[in-house]
Amino acid sequence: MSNTNEMPCEEGLDHSLSLMREGYMYIKNRRSSFASDIFETRLLGQKTICMGGKEATKIFYDNEKFIRNGVAPKRIVETLFGEKGVQTLDGQAHKHRKEMFMSLMSPEQIKRLNDILKKQWEIAINEWKQMDKIVLYEEAKQILCNTACQWAGVPLQEDELKQKTKELSAMFEAPAAIGPEHWQGRYSRNKVEKWMDTLIDQVRDERVNPAEGTALHTIAWHKDPDGNLLDTSIAAVEVINILRPIVAIAIYINFTALAVHHFPEETEKLSKSDDGKYAEMFVQEVRRFYPFFPFAAAKVKKDFTWNGHIFKEGILTLLDLYGTNHDSEIWDNPDVFQPERFVDWEGSPFDFIPQGGGDYFMGHRCAGEWVTMEVMKVSLDYLVNQIDYEIPNQDLSFSMVNIPSIPKSRIVIKNIKKKS
């Protein structure tokens, strides 16, 4: 008797256009129609397994079963990740590089980041008070670019801020785009990598001296498992892998402002809460509820069988991040914004995966997730407790097709005043 089950299979030659049309909902829709957490399809001309849910996440982040090297499409590598960055490594090389990233996430460094961020918010608010209106998304990106560079030890002149913000933003706004916007993302990465190549060389020649413990210092002097300094180009990519994701938190700040606007009853609880617990629940629910990453990709390392389904070596596999965060088997009323659901949440690395799942140190879960949380909490406090403002009529809808999804108006706010 066979111990294997036939995997549901989507008929047709290729479904890449369906993926583009459905975006964040592509895998979730088919999991629902197949009544299965796993199915087979064809994307970009190759056989692909798509899966979601808590048990699928556990398997997907098993380093004995899946690898990341060579998985990301060229358009993703040349905009979002960069060549030979930590996201593309496996095994001991990945573990060693990831430990370096995690060393930057100490409580002391996170506190320093928060202090820098608060100063940048104060500077921005003083400017906004003199303006008729501002576009929050664009302003938040500049706040975060300035914060990220100061925190990482990267020198940034005031007249460089807008350009560097634009270039770093293009990297995460362009990967799924088609045409000029995508090529702008590639062009921007090339420019930022050249800038960072020069900085790495200057640090190693001691012409630039960032403080010890900062990302620029740590990465410039980091040695691989064989005791060699990273190639300049790889070190540059990894510094960018600190800056770019911090700037990308502007997307979450926009969704945070949207949640504050749409759920005023939750905002009242925030202003009454002074222990920070409700703020943490609120930002966790923002991360769960709104779209950020649609899915993660890996390839099967070697043949194995899971739940009766055969996984063949080399098969591309996608994990449904958005769908898992909206899975009714995991979350009660998943399409309702409800921060209280995190009151008794135990912090499983496999059921709540807005920035990936698994272990921080051994796996491919985002090293900057703690940074994301802290940046969002600081920003939430300013939006609720530190300033008064109005949100005029505008298009606050967001797409479930465009990746990344951002409220269409980028959230315009006006009449900004500092609370006394």
Side-chain angles (χ1 to χ4, degrees):
M1 181 180 293
S2 173
N3 291 321
T4 61
N5 299 321
E6 187 171 348
M7 190 180 299
C9 184
E10 187 173 21
E11 297 180 358
L13 294 177
D14 192 274
H15 298 278
S16 302
L17 288 177
S18 296
L19 175 61
M20 292 175 65
R21 282 194 298 265
E22 296 175 54
Y24 290 89
M25 299 299 292
Y26 173 79
I27 301 177
K28 188 175 188 296
N29 287 342
R30 282 149 188 77
R31 288 172 58 203
S32 177
S33 62
F34 285 126
S36 171
D37 278 341
I38 186 169
F39 65 91
E40 182 185 310
T41 187
R42 291 191 71 84
L43 297 172
L44 298 176
Q46 61 181 313
K47 178 179 174 180
T48 305
I49 294 173
C50 299
M51 58 185 187
K54 184 174 181 177
E55 296 307 313
T57 303
K58 289 180 181 178
I59 293 297
F60 184 84
Y61 286 102
D62 184 338
N63 292 330
E64 294 302 312
K65 292 182 170 59
F66 288 96
I67 59 174
R68 273 71 186 171
N69 186 31
V71 174
K74 186 176 181 181
R75 64 172 25 242
I76 302 294
V77 171
E78 295 192 359
T79 52
L80 192 65
F81 291 159
E83 295 282 354
K84 300 181 180 179
V86 65
Q87 302 95 332
T88 67
L89 301 178
D90 293 294
Q92 182 60 29
H94 176 264
K95 180 177 180 292
H96 186 77
R97 189 85 59 83
K98 191 68 175 287
E99 287 174 350
M100 180 267 292
F101 272 94
M102 295 308 297
S103 73
L104 301 171
M105 305 300 163
S106 68
E108 295 77 17
Q109 288 293 345
I110 298 294
K111 181 183 182 303
R112 193 172 69 84
L113 175 72
N114 279 356
D115 291 342
I116 295 169
L117 177 61
K118 289 174 183 176
K119 289 179 182 177
Q120 291 303 314
W121 265 102
E122 294 288 343
I123 291 169
I125 290 167
N126 285 332
E127 293 177 355
W128 298 348
K129 290 188 298 184
Q130 315 303 319
M131 301 165 69
D132 292 335
K133 62 184 180 181
I134 61 108
V135 179
L136 181 61
Y137 178 61
E138 301 302 330
E139 295 290 327
K141 287 193 293 185
Q142 288 196 178
I143 288 173
L144 293 173
C145 182
N146 232 336
T147 298
C149 288
Q150 285 190 41
W151 184 62
V154 172
L156 182 69
Q157 302 302 317
E158 188 174 344
D159 60 0
E160 295 179 301
L161 175 60
K162 286 188 177 181
Q163 186 62 33
K164 295 307 178 191
T165 299
K166 181 180 178 181
E167 291 166 357
L168 288 164
S169 302
M171 294 182 198
F172 58 80
E173 293 171 348
I178 296 173
E181 186 179 352
H182 175 73
W183 289 104
Q184 179 61 45
R186 291 194 178 194
Y187 174 72
S188 294
R189 170 163 282 281
N190 288 337
K191 285 193 68 177
V192 176
E193 285 188 358
K194 287 179 181 176
W195 171 51
M196 204 54 60
D197 281 350
T198 300
L199 270 177
I200 295 294
D201 286 338
Q202 289 175 338
V203 172
R204 289 175 176 174
D205 292 342
E206 298 186 353
R207 287 176 286 158
V208 171
N209 296 291
E212 191 170 340
T214 60
L216 181 57
H217 182 277
T218 299
I219 295 170
W221 297 111
H222 177 73
K223 295 182 179 179
D224 65 21
D226 295 324
N228 301 313
L229 290 174
L230 297 176
D231 287 348
T232 298
S233 61
I234 296 175
V237 164
E238 299 298 36
V239 175
I240 296 167
N241 276 333
I242 293 290
L243 304 182
R244 169 190 49 77
I246 292 177
V247 177
I249 302 171
I251 297 172
Y252 271 146
I253 291 176
N254 241 42
F255 280 127
T256 299
L258 190 64
V260 168
H261 179 64
H262 279 162
F263 307 107
E265 68 281 3
E266 302 298 342
T267 303
E268 290 178 13
K269 298 173 189 176
L270 283 166
S271 57
K272 294 174 184 175
S273 173
D274 60 1
D275 60 4
K277 290 181 180 179
Y278 201 82
E280 180 151 336
M281 291 190 290
F282 190 95
V283 300
Q284 290 286 56
E285 183 66 346
V286 168
R287 296 172 69 230
R288 186 200 68 81
F289 185 77
Y290 293 102
F292 195 61
F293 290 124
F295 46 76
K299 281 187 178 179
V300 178
K301 184 175 182 179
K302 57 186 177 183
D303 293 4
F304 72 92
T305 301
W306 173 69
N307 281 0
H309 301 301
I310 298 173
F311 288 70
K312 286 291 195 180
E313 180 179 343
I315 295 296
L316 176 65
T317 305
L318 303 182
L319 177 69
D320 185 10
L321 301 182
Y322 178 82
T324 299
N325 290 328
H326 290 77
D327 191 328
S328 58
E329 295 294 317
I330 300 172
W331 309 99
D332 292 333
N333 300 315
D335 296 322
V336 174
F337 187 85
Q338 185 180 320
E340 286 91 344
R341 71 175 74 247
F342 286 97
V343 168
D344 298 318
W345 183 66
E346 296 179 354
S348 168
F350 302 111
D351 57 12
F352 179 50
I353 53 173
Q355 292 173 263
D359 180 76
Y360 288 107
F361 288 90
M362 299 299 292
H364 283 78
R365 194 179 189 101
C366 177
E369 192 166 14
W370 296 335
V371 167
T372 301
M373 285 288 299
E374 293 303 314
V375 167
M376 288 178 70
K377 285 190 288 185
V378 168
S379 301
L380 175 63
D381 181 59
Y382 274 94
L383 290 168
V384 173
N385 299 318
Q386 305 293 330
I387 57 174
D388 283 319
Y389 55 91
E390 297 174 23
I391 295 185
N393 289 334
Q394 59 191 280
D395 188 351
L396 293 172
S397 66
F398 55 92
S399 172
M400 295 302 294
V401 175
N402 296 334
I403 301 171
S405 179
I406 307 165
K408 288 186 178 177
S409 66
R410 274 44 177 175
I411 305 194
V412 176
I413 63 176
K414 66 178 187 178
N415 296 334
I416 302 162
K417 299 175 183 177
K418 194 85 164 67
K419 286 185 177 179
S420 55

